[in-house]
């Protein structure tokens, strides 16, 4: 009986540790800046989603290791390499394979719905303030941040952030993330 209890305790500990999502100081800063920006527009804050953050953190690491922004060809930073446990895709400007990106949260983290991503690249390294300022000026990115234009009728029920190397991404989702994952700061 003691051995069964010990095995259950070990499995519970391993499972608990695997569920922690840690935010770097820059990721926490980006999340806070986005919430401040939304507040300045009289919008509600968005609930943190550990599943969308897991996707964001995975994607920025994939981009940093495998995507050459300056020599990217037809693929843009919403693309995913063939170097991970996900389906590779080349996301093009015509949005012909948009589902490839939208389905990544389900594929990678088990998030219930689709996800929508904004991405940022800086040759000197991604920074929260610079990324948000760029997105605010972008007619293709700002509407997701403040639910305007074609995104006006959507209610974001989750947000995930990732900042690593030269990339920062933010994922938005329409489904609530009911996971009980602990958020820690690195």
């Amino acid at each position: 009986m003691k051995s069964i209890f010990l095995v259950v305790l070990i499995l519970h500990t391993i499972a608990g540790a695997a569920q922690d999502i840690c935010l770097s100081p820059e990721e926490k800063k980006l999340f806070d800046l986005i919430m401040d920006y939304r507040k300045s527009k009289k919008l509600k804050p968005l609930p943190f989603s550990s599943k969308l953050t897991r996707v964001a953190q995975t994607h920025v690491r994939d981009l940093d290791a495998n995507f050459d922004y300056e020599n990217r060809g037809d693929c843009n930073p919403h693309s995913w390499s063939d170097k991970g446990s996900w389906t590779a895709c080349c996301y093009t400007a015509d949005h012909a394979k948009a589902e490839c990106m939208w389905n990544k949260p389900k594929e990678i983290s088990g998030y219930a719905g689709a996800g929508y991503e904004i991405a940022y690249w800086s040759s000197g390294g991604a920074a929260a303030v610079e990324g948000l300022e760029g997105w605010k000026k972008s007619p293709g990115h700002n509407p997701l941040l403040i639910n305007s234009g074609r995104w006006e009728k959507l209610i974001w029920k989750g947000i995930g952030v990732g900042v690593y190397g030269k990339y920062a991404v933010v994922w938005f989702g329409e489904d609530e993330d009911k996971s009980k994952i602990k958020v820690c700061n690195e």
Side-chain angles (χ1 to χ4, degrees):
M1 186 61 143
K2 286 182 182 180
S3 62
I4 291 173
F5 174 74
L6 183 58
V7 169
V8 170
L9 179 63
I10 290 169
L11 289 175
H12 177 73
T13 302
I14 291 170
Q19 292 182 3
D20 287 355
I21 291 288
C22 293
L23 297 177
S24 71
E26 207 61 25
E27 289 168 335
K28 174 76 168 96
K29 184 176 186 177
L30 179 56
F31 177 81
D32 291 342
L33 287 169
I34 292 170
M35 293 309 109
D36 290 345
Y37 179 51
R38 288 181 59 83
K39 185 177 180 181
S40 77
K41 299 289 186 182
K42 302 195 181 342
L43 297 169
K44 292 180 182 178
L46 302 175
F48 177 82
S49 168
S50 55
K51 289 182 179 183
L52 291 173
T53 295
R54 185 176 310 276
V55 176
Q57 290 176 343
T58 301
H59 197 205
V60 291
R61 281 165 176 73
D62 178 48
L63 287 168
D64 199 63
N66 303 304
F67 189 78
D68 184 352
Y69 188 85
E70 295 172 328
N71 297 303
R72 65 183 184 256
D74 291 335
C75 302
N76 69 35
H78 299 303
S79 301
W80 289 74
S81 77
D82 61 358
K83 307 276 191 281
S85 59
W86 51 76
T87 306
C89 72
C90 174
Y91 194 103
T92 54
D94 64 4
H95 309 288
K97 296 182 181 179
E99 291 81 16
C100 171
M101 186 252 296
W102 298 341
N103 291 331
K104 284 298 180 257
K106 286 180 194 171
E107 183 181 352
I108 291 172
S109 70
Y111 182 73
Y116 306 93
E117 179 188 57
I118 57 177
Y120 156 75
W121 172 84
S122 174
S123 62
V129 171
E130 188 179 284
L132 181 60
E133 289 306 312
W135 288 324
K136 286 166 54 175
K137 294 174 188 171
S138 168
H141 296 94
N142 191 54
L144 278 90
L145 290 165
I146 60 170
N147 293 95
S148 66
R150 68 182 275 199
W151 307 100
E152 186 174 13
K153 295 185 189 220
L154 294 178
I155 297 171
W156 299 135
K157 294 184 181 172
I159 182 173
V161 296
V163 179
Y164 185 80
K166 296 178 180 181
Y167 295 91
V169 301
V170 178
W171 282 82
F172 300 90
E174 298 176 78
D175 289 0
E176 185 179 348
D177 181 352
K178 296 183 180 187
S179 62
K180 302 292 183 199
I181 297 178
K182 173 185 158 191
V183 177
C184 59
N185 290 327
E186 289 183 334

